[in-house]
Amino acid sequence: MITRDQRRRALSAMMSVFCLVAVLVALAPLAMILFFVVSQGVGAIDVAFFTETPQPVGEPGGGMANAIVGTLILCGLGALLAIPVGVLSAVYIVESGGSRVASAARFAADTLNGVPSIVIGIFVYAIAVLPAKPWPFEDMKFSALAGGLALGVMMIPIITRTTEELLRLVPAALREGALALGASRARTVFTVVLPAALPGILTGILLALARIAGETAPLLFTSFNNRFWSTDVTQPIGSLTVQVYTYAISPYDDWHRQAWAGALVLVGLVLCCSVFARAATRRLERMHVGR
């Protein structure tokens, strides 16, 4: 006769197996994507890919140096907009004591985080690229600035919500100690609270960068693309995602090969951001354990 303890052990073992299978199912798509991208793209990676610009249509060779630099510029412009706005918004949400404005800001960040990227691209296109543009966008057109604006809008809710959660994890004793020593509330926030949460905030920023690094739709409406070398932020600029899209739908085998190489570089960029984010998270965990 099976006892109750045996049934419980059997049920526990069964659930453990189910959980293990679920983990394997969740990891399988990532493993297959990585294997396929690496196997297809590693053969197309060479020095020319990182140092040369695209060749004329139909001619083999060339690289994506302009698109790699353009992607870094676009992500940098997005970060310049999103980091101060996101961090300061989170500071207000945490330090305002649960006011209606703070609740509205939190709800807006959650809603914006769920807006499809193509909608954000169309929005920025409408205010920053179309001929009839309101102030202060009257001099803007398809450009890196417009692309950076779209990516920055996508980064803001991620940074805001991540920073908010990290600021709430800072021990109240740190705030109270600084206030007891005579520091103002603003000085306490910027010299005590923010530095304590800095590793976690950096994690949120890196995750936001990983999110926008692979976006294509907003850039089609804003920065457009540029097959030539350009670092002028007021002009259309190349990006890896748009270049991969253009090459992937082309009829040329050499462009298909370079598209896989560009996809591999993008995956590597996202993985690097994730690894750095994980390292920052571990540092924050060690800090809390030390306390």
Side-chain angles (χ1 to χ4, degrees):
M1 182 176 179
I2 301 177
T3 64
R4 177 180 296 180
D5 184 63
Q6 289 175 329
R7 287 197 301 269
R8 292 175 58 186
R9 290 178 181 274
L11 180 62
S12 177
M14 186 183 303
M15 293 306 299
S16 297
V17 172
F18 286 159
C19 290
L20 178 60
V21 171
V23 170
L24 294 177
V25 170
L27 293 178
L30 175 61
M32 289 188 292
I33 290 173
L34 288 177
F35 174 78
F36 196 73
V37 172
V38 171
S39 62
Q40 294 289 329
V42 69
I45 296 291
D46 54 19
V47 176
F49 181 83
F50 295 99
T51 59
E52 297 182 8
T53 56
Q55 292 293 326
V57 176
E59 293 187 13
M64 293 190 182
N66 62 318
I68 295 173
V69 173
T71 296
L72 296 178
I73 292 175
L74 289 168
C75 290
L77 291 173
L80 285 177
L81 168 66
I83 292 174
V85 174
V87 171
L88 292 178
S89 298
V91 169
Y92 177 81
I93 292 173
V94 173
E95 299 296 330
S96 64
S99 65
R100 291 184 177 180
V101 176
S103 299
R106 186 184 300 110
F107 176 78
D110 291 336
T111 303
L112 183 60
N113 196 30
V115 174
S117 60
I118 192 170
V119 175
I120 295 177
I122 293 174
F123 165 73
V124 176
Y125 173 78
I127 68 170
V129 178
L130 286 178
K133 297 179 283 290
W135 183 89
F137 304 107
E138 64 271 9
D139 294 327
M140 292 183 66
K141 51 187 175 181
F142 285 117
S143 64
L145 289 176
L149 177 61
L151 297 183
V153 171
M154 295 181 62
M155 288 181 66
I156 287 174
I158 303 175
I159 295 176
T160 298
R161 296 295 282 140
T162 304
T163 303
E164 177 193 353
E165 296 302 324
L166 269 298
L167 291 178
R168 294 188 186 279
L169 292 177
V170 176
L174 289 179
R175 291 183 175 87
E176 295 169 355
L179 293 173
L181 291 174
S184 64
R185 189 173 179 181
R187 188 179 181 88
T188 298
V189 169
F190 289 102
T191 61
V192 177
V193 178
L194 281 177
L198 186 59
I201 296 174
L202 179 61
T203 300
I205 293 173
L206 290 173
L207 292 176
L209 286 172
R211 160 80 188 280
I212 66 170
E215 289 295 335
T216 305
L219 301 183
L220 290 172
F221 288 96
T222 53
S223 63
F224 200 57
N225 196 26
N226 192 344
R227 292 176 47 82
F228 304 98
W229 181 270
S230 175
T231 56
D232 187 352
V233 296
T234 64
Q235 298 296 324
I237 196 169
S239 61
L240 272 173
T241 51
V242 178
Q243 197 77 11
V244 168
Y245 167 76
T246 303
Y247 277 18
I249 63 175
S250 72
Y252 307 109
D253 291 337
D254 187 65
W255 281 17
H256 294 167
R257 179 183 62 85
Q258 293 196 43
W260 282 113
L264 179 58
V265 172
L266 277 174
V267 170
L269 179 62
V270 172
L271 285 178
C272 288
C273 289
S274 299
V275 169
F276 289 144
R278 182 57 184 167
T281 301
R282 288 180 178 176
R283 180 182 174 187
L284 182 65
E285 291 173 351
R286 289 196 299 268
M287 290 173 59
H288 282 286
V289 171
R291 293 192 185 105

